[in-house]
Amino acid sequence: MESDSSPSSPSEKKNYILRSSDNVEFVVEAKVASHSETIKRIIEDGCTGNLIPVPNVDGKTLAKVLEYCKKHSEDIPAAELKEWDNDTYLNEPYEVIMAVIVAANYLEMNELTNLTCMRIANTIRKMTVEQVREFFGIENDFTPEEEAKIREDHKWAHENIDKD
């Protein structure tokens, strides 16, 4: 009896189990999982049965990533999808968005990485240097003299910034 050992195609209606770093398992269709180039290659190369470990992503973050993948697998108009991205999906605290950025980067999901990075960029766009430091939890290790010199050398970077 001959077994079929040919690589799987992500277009199949097969389900896969994604296991997060904290051992939370998610059953997803191949078309949903293949939004990740990393997972898509694992499926195509036949490197796994139906269990795919995702060791660098915790369960809470993987659930958020899969929410995006599922919505983007639906047959809905682009305008509606963009509205959902901006009004629903990105309506999360900074810590959640940052975790999704890291996960999307690891999973090679360029569209999700770009979407979430734009959310952070739009958030900090009009912040002062001090506000950005506070937002990211960055300690100011410049002396007042060093900071004054940097501000003088790079005046353009401090123009049109709200001082509230």
Side-chain angles (χ1 to χ4, degrees):
M1 182 170 163
E2 191 175 305
S3 66
D4 180 17
S5 61
S6 63
S8 298
S9 166
S11 62
E12 294 178 22
K13 288 225 178 238
K14 185 173 180 179
N15 286 338
Y16 290 90
I17 301 170
L18 304 183
R19 181 181 293 155
S20 67
S21 62
D22 51 353
N23 294 316
V24 178
E25 294 183 351
F26 300 88
V27 177
V28 295
E29 290 181 16
K31 72 176 186 174
V32 173
S34 65
H35 279 272
S36 160
E37 288 298 317
T38 302
I39 293 173
K40 184 178 177 180
R41 277 194 304 278
I42 290 170
I43 294 169
E44 287 174 345
D45 293 345
C47 295
T48 184
N50 71 333
L51 177 63
I52 301 172
V54 186
N56 293 359
V57 183
D58 64 62
K60 181 179 175 186
T61 304
L62 188 54
K64 189 69 181 166
V65 168
L66 291 174
E67 177 186 355
Y68 173 89
C69 294
K70 288 174 186 171
K71 190 68 169 186
H72 281 253
S73 295
E74 295 175 9
D75 187 23
I76 57 177
E80 185 179 323
L81 193 58
K82 185 175 182 175
E83 183 179 327
W84 179 85
D85 285 347
N86 293 319
D87 297 343
T88 303
Y89 188 77
L90 293 177
N91 192 16
E92 293 286 347
Y94 153 78
E95 296 80 13
V96 172
I97 298 298
M98 290 302 291
V100 170
I101 289 172
V102 172
N105 184 56
Y106 169 72
L107 293 168
E108 296 179 84
M109 299 176 66
N110 292 335
E111 287 183 20
L112 181 56
T113 301
N114 291 340
L115 177 70
T116 50
C117 284
M118 283 300 295
R119 161 62 161 51
I120 297 298
N122 288 334
T123 299
I124 66 172
R125 178 183 319 207
K126 295 289 184 177
M127 289 183 176
T128 64
V129 172
E130 292 78 17
Q131 290 168 327
V132 172
R133 282 190 187 123
E134 184 179 332
F135 184 81
F136 287 113
I138 299 171
E139 184 179 326
N140 182 2
D141 57 354
F142 291 113
T143 65
E145 295 79 22
E146 290 172 325
E147 191 163 349
K149 171 104 172 84
I150 290 169
R151 286 182 184 272
E152 180 62 31
D153 291 347
H154 304 283
K155 287 181 183 176
W156 60 268
H158 302 279
E159 295 173 354
N160 300 320
I161 301 295
D162 296 335
K163 296 279 187 184
D164 47 284

